[in-house]
Amino acid sequence: MECNKTTRVVVIGTGFVGSSYSFALLNQGITDEMVLLDLNKEKAIGDAMDLNHGMPFGSPMKIWAGEYSDCKEADIVVITAGANQGPGETRLDLIEKNAKIFKGIVGEVMKSGFDGIFLVATNPVDILSYATWKYSGLPMERVIGSGTILDTARLRFLLSQYFDVDSRNVHAYIMGEHGDTELPVWSHANIGGKPLMSYFEEHKEEGRSLKDLDEIFINVRDAAYHIIERKGATHYAIAMGLVRLTRAILRNENSILTVSTLLRGEFGLEDIYIGVPAVVNSSGIREVLELNLSNEEKEKLHHSANVLQNAMGPIKN
């Protein structure tokens, strides 16, 4: 990415996640231009007006409701469009609906001459990231799913609450499907550099038990169900996660984030998009960080991958 180039992000879908992302992107002033696209053009126009009216309180940015042709000059196209997860619905229940929607969206974006990076947030994100890679014909490093970036953030937050430590000093990953088969990587979790289990042993006297960690993970895994039950959708935290990814790309940060990317032999897995730690920069995915997982973690990751592979019918057929 050239230093003096005007940066442009196109957001496709201005529902809960898309509009929250747009607002967070404006607040953090990460791009020069932001284009909003939605099937409901009036909604996109309304959002652009509303965001523009906040400009005097933030950083200068050009924001407008656009067309697919605006993707030609975009560095990043963020797709948040699609059917949402309803109460009691799993993310995998959405595959057929959203695969059809994505075929149309990705086709239109590529028709514009787009040559940037796709960020996919729509669920089931691992499968739709794979679909975007297939439909677009772009190299795998330029199609990135939000993966387990949010699950990882939820885990770090809940551990920080439990141990009363700043969440930015809690380092732990959730890997696998962004969904019911995801797994916590306890073997690599640490607090300020101290392995989690050592830290746990030292703070045991406060009436804590290892069962609490299982409880924390269950709350991470099922967080979306709890939030959807209460307010209908989850959108603020994932929006912030997407902005973090956007910053890593536009500022060439070489940040390690748990995203959905294509595995080509890493962790013994092939031809699947799944949540793993990866280095993200202006080229997209620079490399996958292949952690040395425990046998149990490896089994759980392979189980998660099998569930995703078995659900891929609508994309691969």
Side-chain angles (χ1 to χ4, degrees), residues 47-315:
D47 270 351
M49 289 169 72
D50 201 0
L51 290 164
N52 274 313
H53 297 162
M55 205 77 73
F57 308 117
S59 312
M61 189 184 287
K62 199 175 170 201
I63 303 171
W64 71 96
E67 306 292 340
Y68 278 109
S69 55
D70 291 311
C71 296
K72 183 174 171 35
E73 300 298 321
D75 298 283
I76 301 174
V77 166
V78 182
I79 310 181
T80 68
N84 291 330
Q85 189 179 350
E89 212 174 9
T90 73
R91 295 176 180 98
L92 292 179
D93 290 335
L94 302 171
I95 295 174
E96 293 214 38
K97 281 187 257 187
N98 284 337
K100 278 184 193 146
I101 294 168
F102 263 58
K103 199 162 200 174
I105 289 172
V106 174
E108 289 295 330
V109 171
M110 295 313 293
K111 220 187 283 179
S112 75
F114 173 65
D115 193 31
I117 291 170
F118 274 110
L119 282 189
V120 179
T122 309
N123 282 316
V125 70
D126 304 290
I127 290 173
L128 292 175
S129 300
Y130 185 95
T132 301
W133 171 58
K134 280 290 186 200
Y135 299 154
S136 68
L138 288 174
M140 53 74 62
E141 61 270 16
R142 291 208 269 134
V143 178
I144 305 172
S146 53
T148 49
I149 196 169
L150 174 56
D151 313 86
T152 291
R154 285 169 172 157
L155 179 63
R156 291 172 65 198
F157 171 72
L158 290 179
L159 286 171
S160 81
Q161 271 199 320
Y162 184 75
F163 290 112
D164 196 19
V165 172
D166 186 335
S167 61
R168 293 169 298 181
N169 300 120
V170 175
H171 305 287
Y173 295 129
I174 294 281
M175 286 174 60
E177 173 207 358
H178 172 51
D180 298 341
T181 64
E182 64 189 36
L183 61 130
V185 185
W186 295 127
S187 64
H188 288 274
N190 73 77
I191 293 179
K194 188 177 274 282
L196 181 71
M197 290 310 165
S198 306
Y199 194 91
F200 188 87
E201 286 303 318
E202 286 172 17
H203 296 76
K204 223 176 178 178
E205 71 283 354
E206 292 151 42
R208 297 177 169 136
S209 100
L210 278 175
K211 282 185 183 157
D212 299 342
L213 294 183
D214 295 334
E215 193 61 32
I216 284 171
F217 167 63
I218 289 164
N219 281 326
V220 166
R221 186 194 64 200
D222 297 345
Y225 298 123
H226 300 315
I227 296 169
I228 288 165
E229 234 169 66
R230 289 166 170 82
K231 56 172 263 187
T234 76
H235 47 101
Y236 295 130
I238 185 57
M240 290 179 76
L242 289 168
V243 171
R244 177 69 192 88
L245 259 172
T246 304
R247 192 172 81 220
I249 294 165
L250 293 182
R251 297 194 178 159
N252 196 28
E253 288 184 343
N254 293 299
S255 303
I256 297 171
L257 300 163
T258 42
V259 292
S260 191
T261 186
L262 186 76
L263 295 187
R264 296 175 294 184
E266 299 92 345
F267 302 103
L269 297 170
E270 291 272 358
D271 195 38
I272 188 167
Y273 263 74
I274 198 165
V276 292
V279 180
V280 180
N281 64 18
S282 59
S283 310
I285 301 290
R286 192 187 85 190
E287 64 180 291
V288 169
L289 209 66
E290 197 166 359
L291 301 176
N292 191 10
L293 301 178
S294 72
N295 288 337
E296 189 188 351
E297 288 162 353
K298 213 174 286 177
E299 272 171 35
K300 286 180 176 174
L301 182 63
H302 278 248
H303 169 65
S304 191
N306 287 337
V307 168
L308 284 173
Q309 288 284 21
N310 292 337
M312 293 274 278
I315 310 296

